[in-house]
Amino acid sequence: MLENLNYGLFTLINATPASPEWGIRLAIFIAKDLISIVPALVVILWLWGPRKQVAAQRQLVIKIAMALVISLLASWLLGHLFPHDRPFVDRVGYNFLHHAADDSFPSDHGTAIFTFALAFLFWHRVWSGILLMMVACTIAWSRVYLGVHWPMDMLGGMLVGLLGCLSAQILWNLFGNALYQRLSQLYRICFALPIRKGWIRD
């Protein structure tokens, strides 16, 4: 039944040769490039911001990094334990984005962006989390639309992202403050010159 739902949703979302070219181009940009928001925001949050908020921002970055490591490792394990072909491998629907014929479930893109969005929802502000969840859903849609993933791959990515965030919170409660102090010291040593110049926060 779940496979039938997966197939039905894919057929409903997947683009066809009759789909507008501008829509496919937009979806390709979203599917390939919008994920770059993750490293960009991580760097911004660590290096800049109001002085009173820098410590909280850096703690958020560390939590995000922990959650991403856990969720991507879990995604890799699930992909090997429960292999599932991509739609174009099964010759289902239409494919508009070149991709290796590796395991489909869960989506690595989906796992990364949903982990990021959930992290902001849990540890930052609700509005930022909701905004990033909208971005995550858009990326998820684009990769199904272009035929490189099934809808359930994206749902799996979101659930794995949730697992990553919950696990990261548990680890943070155990040794988060000590990790933050050590990483902060290492950062100040490695980036002493730009900190002294005032280009980035200390």
Side-chain angles (χ1 to χ4, degrees):
M1 181 178 177
L2 196 60
E3 276 297 316
N4 289 337
L5 177 61
N6 202 22
Y7 182 90
L9 287 173
F10 175 82
T11 304
L12 187 65
I13 299 170
N14 184 220
T16 71
S19 300
E21 186 178 347
W22 67 265
I24 292 174
R25 289 179 180 272
L26 177 61
I28 290 173
F29 168 76
I30 293 169
K32 291 177 64 177
D33 300 321
L34 200 55
I35 194 74
S36 60
I37 194 173
V38 173
L41 277 177
V42 163
V43 170
I44 290 169
L45 285 169
W46 186 277
L47 296 181
W48 298 287
R51 189 169 295 278
K52 292 181 180 180
Q53 296 178 17
V54 168
Q57 288 179 186
R58 290 177 179 169
Q59 290 172 10
L60 172 63
V61 167
I62 296 170
K63 285 183 179 181
I64 290 172
M66 293 167 66
L68 283 170
V69 169
I70 294 167
S71 59
L72 289 173
L73 178 59
S75 176
W76 181 83
L77 287 172
L78 285 170
H80 284 74
L81 291 173
F82 306 101
H84 196 289
D85 288 336
R86 294 178 184 271
F88 61 84
V89 175
D90 286 343
R91 301 186 184 280
V92 176
Y94 299 92
N95 174 246
F96 296 92
L97 181 65
H98 176 73
H99 201 288
D102 52 2
D103 296 322
S104 179
F105 178 88
S107 163
D108 289 337
H109 270 76
T111 297
I113 193 61
F114 278 115
T115 301
F116 195 63
L118 288 167
F120 271 75
L121 194 62
F122 294 150
W123 302 319
H124 192 245
R125 295 179 178 84
V126 173
W127 68 265
S128 65
I130 291 174
L131 184 61
L132 285 169
M133 282 298 290
M134 292 171 63
V135 172
C137 289
T138 303
I139 291 174
W141 161 82
S142 70
R143 297 186 74 80
V144 177
Y145 182 78
L146 295 171
V148 294
H149 273 293
W150 301 96
M152 291 301 169
D153 299 342
M154 296 302 168
L155 178 60
M158 183 172 69
L159 294 176
V160 171
L162 179 61
L163 171 67
C165 288
L166 292 175
S167 301
Q169 183 61 58
I170 293 170
L171 293 175
W172 179 264
N173 291 340
L174 293 174
F175 57 82
N177 287 329
L179 180 62
Y180 167 68
Q181 294 299 331
R182 292 191 178 185
L183 288 176
S184 295
Q185 290 173 358
L186 182 62
Y187 162 73
R188 291 188 180 99
I189 293 170
C190 294
F191 292 87
L193 179 60
I195 289 172
R196 191 163 59 249
K197 295 285 187 179
W199 297 338
I200 54 178
R201 290 293 188 192
D202 60 5

